[in-house]
């Protein structure tokens, strides 16, 4: 009982903190806010949240909550910063009853020789045709695991950028490159090269924060690949790349960068705003000849339609789900699409 009272009080204080933060930011954007010692920046928000809830809330959740609040100037549901049991708890095993308030998801952590600190897997992709598994970590380690031989071969590459996080990855089947997206760039890596940093292309600038990526797999054998991407403003992108984009004359060298930089304006890109919130996942479902995108947007939570809809303004086939959709999958045998909110 005492623990529940303490939690209710902490939650009330947290909601007041978020309300005050939103008011300050709204006034700041309107030119009405005068900066003072009571300003709530990320450092103060992090310290207060950690004091209220302790270790039950993880650092990456605090950062994501703060970034989303500042981006939309709306108070997110407090469930977004930590999980909660909403059903009956009487039937739970005793080892689960120890923590009825918090249900913190388990995140897989990796340690790589390139990075001497804990990291988090943000994307994992299986490439059956080549017997590959690709992983991308939040802090920039992209790895290709190859099980074609008796020994488990591994190609690893470290994309070091302190200011951005990798948010997803996939494989380009025609160009035979690995693709990943960060919050502000697209990374294309030729994993077969010994000098990996000299065979990494960075496509920029990207206007909004990229959150997910997926390769569009078509039946034709043309020497080009297309990728779907989603951002934090509700846009879904379709970007097409060919081998011509990666020849030497196309890229420019930057003094601060060890990578080959390509101008995003040189790529054929179409985009369309489909959601009013973050796009959590995008995927092309070749069996349906449709693409899917999902969002926590409660009005347009899930879109499933022809990829041509990204190039026009015709209505899309959309579905509304309370609190939105975080993930989806298609089962060919059952011919059903499953969503998870």
């Amino acid at each position: 009982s005492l623990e529940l009272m303490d939690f209710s009080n902490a939650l009330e204080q947290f909601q007041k903190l978020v309300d005050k933060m939103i008011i300050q930011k709204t006034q700041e954007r309107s030119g009405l806010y005068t900066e003072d010692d009571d300003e709530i920046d990320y450092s103060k928000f992090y310290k207060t949240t950690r004091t209220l809830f302790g270790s039950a809330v993880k650092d990456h959740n605090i950062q994501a909550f703060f970034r989303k609040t500042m981006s939309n100037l709306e108070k997110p549901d407090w469930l977004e910063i930590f999980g909660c049991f909403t059903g009956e708890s009487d039937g739970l095993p005793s080892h689960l009853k120890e923590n009825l308030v918090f249900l913190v998801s388990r995140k897989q952590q990796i340690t790589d020789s390139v990075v001497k600190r804990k990291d988090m897997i943000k994307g994992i992709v299986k490439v059956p045709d080549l017997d590959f598994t690709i992983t991308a970590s939040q802090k920039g380690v992209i790895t290709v695991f190859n099980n074609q031989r008796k020994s488990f071969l591994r190609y690893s590459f470290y994309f070091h950028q302190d200011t951005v996080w990798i948010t997803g990855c996939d494989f380009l089947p025609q160009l035979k490159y690995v693709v990943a997206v960060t919050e502000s760039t697209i990374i294309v890596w030729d994993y077969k090269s010994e000098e990996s940093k000299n065979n990494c292309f960075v496509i920029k600038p990207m206007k909004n924060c990229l959150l997910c990526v997926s390769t569009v797999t078509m039946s034709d054998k043309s020497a080009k690949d297309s990728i779907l991407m989603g951002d934090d403003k509700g846009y879904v992108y379709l970007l097409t790349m060919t081998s011509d984009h990666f020849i030497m004359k196309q890229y420019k060298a930057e003094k601060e960068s060890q990578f080959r930089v390509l101008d995003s304006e040189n790529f054929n890109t179409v985009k369309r705003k489909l959601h009013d919130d973050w796009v959590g996942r995008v995927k092309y479902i070749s069996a349906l000849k449709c693409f899917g995108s999902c969002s926590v947007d409660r009005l347009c939570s899930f879109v499933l339609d022809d990829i041509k809809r990204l190039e026009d303004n015709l209505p899309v086939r959309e579905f509304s789900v309370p609190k939105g959709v975080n993930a989806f999958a298609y089962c060919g045998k059952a011919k059903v699409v499953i969503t998870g909110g």
Side-chain angles (χ1 to χ4, degrees), residues 28-255:
E28 180 183 326
R29 291 185 179 180
S30 303
L32 303 175
Y33 178 67
T34 303
E35 202 170 305
D36 55 30
D37 295 336
D38 201 30
E39 181 184 5
I40 303 174
D41 55 10
Y42 176 72
S43 178
K44 185 174 291 186
F45 176 78
Y46 174 87
K47 185 177 180 180
T48 305
T49 304
R50 179 66 67 224
T51 301
L52 289 172
F53 301 113
S55 60
V57 179
K58 303 304 179 185
D59 288 355
H60 61 271
N61 286 340
I62 296 177
Q63 186 180 52
F65 190 96
F66 180 84
R67 184 170 59 188
K68 183 172 183 179
T69 304
M70 291 296 93
S71 175
N72 298 324
L73 290 185
E74 296 177 357
K75 183 165 62 177
D77 193 321
W78 63 269
L79 283 169
E80 294 181 34
I81 199 167
F82 38 56
C84 176
F85 286 104
T86 57
E88 294 294 329
S89 61
D90 292 339
L92 289 174
S94 58
H95 68 279
L96 289 180
K97 288 186 177 181
E98 295 175 1
N99 194 356
L100 288 180
V101 174
F102 299 110
L103 179 60
V104 182
S105 59
R106 294 182 180 180
K107 301 292 185 181
Q108 181 181 356
Q109 295 180 330
I110 65 169
T111 302
D112 193 279
S113 59
V114 183
V115 186
K116 304 297 184 181
R117 55 184 174 179
K118 290 183 178 179
D119 204 346
M120 183 191 308
I121 294 291
K122 293 298 292 183
I124 180 167
V125 178
K126 177 76 172 176
V127 186
D129 293 344
L130 299 175
D131 204 9
F132 281 172
T133 299
I134 303 168
T135 65
S137 75
Q138 189 177 63
K139 294 178 181 177
V141 179
I142 305 174
T143 307
V144 174
F145 297 95
N146 181 358
N147 199 27
Q148 287 182 321
R149 301 181 185 177
K150 292 181 180 180
S151 59
F152 201 59
L153 300 179
R154 185 183 70 176
Y155 308 88
S156 193
F157 165 64
Y158 181 32
F159 181 78
H160 179 61
Q161 296 285 326
D162 287 333
T163 57
V164 295
W165 284 350
I166 285 183
T167 55
C169 65
D170 210 333
F171 184 72
L172 303 176
Q174 302 299 330
L175 299 177
K176 299 295 188 293
Y177 290 159
V178 174
V179 63
V181 293
T182 75
E183 295 171 315
S184 59
T185 60
I186 303 170
I187 306 167
V188 179
W189 173 41
D190 180 4
Y191 67 93
K192 303 179 296 297
S193 170
E194 295 181 2
E195 290 292 331
S196 58
K197 69 180 181 180
N198 292 327
N199 281 275
C200 176
F201 301 87
V202 178
I203 302 171
K204 64 179 185 178
M206 303 304 293
K207 185 177 180 181
N208 299 329
C209 177
L210 300 176
L211 300 175
C212 50
V213 62
S214 178
T215 301
V216 178
T217 305
M218 298 290 192
S219 58
D220 58 6
K221 298 296 182 179
S222 56
K224 64 180 181 180
D225 280 300
S226 296
I227 56 174
L228 288 167
M229 298 175 292
D231 70 15
D232 62 340
K233 302 297 183 184
Y235 285 92
V236 174
Y237 301 75
L238 177 65
L239 181 145
T240 301
M241 56 188 79
T242 68
S243 56
D244 291 340
H245 287 117
F246 304 103
I247 59 178
M248 189 166 292
K249 67 178 183 180
Q250 294 291 342
Y251 71 85
K252 59 181 179 180
E254 288 190 351
K255 292 183 179 180

Side-chain angles (χ1 to χ4, degrees), residues 271-287:
K271 69 175 183 177
R272 180 173 177 180
K273 185 174 176 63
L274 297 176
H275 308 279
D276 286 328
D277 213 314
W278 292 14
V279 180
R281 189 182 181 209
V282 290
K283 187 172 181 62
Y284 182 76
I285 305 174
S286 55

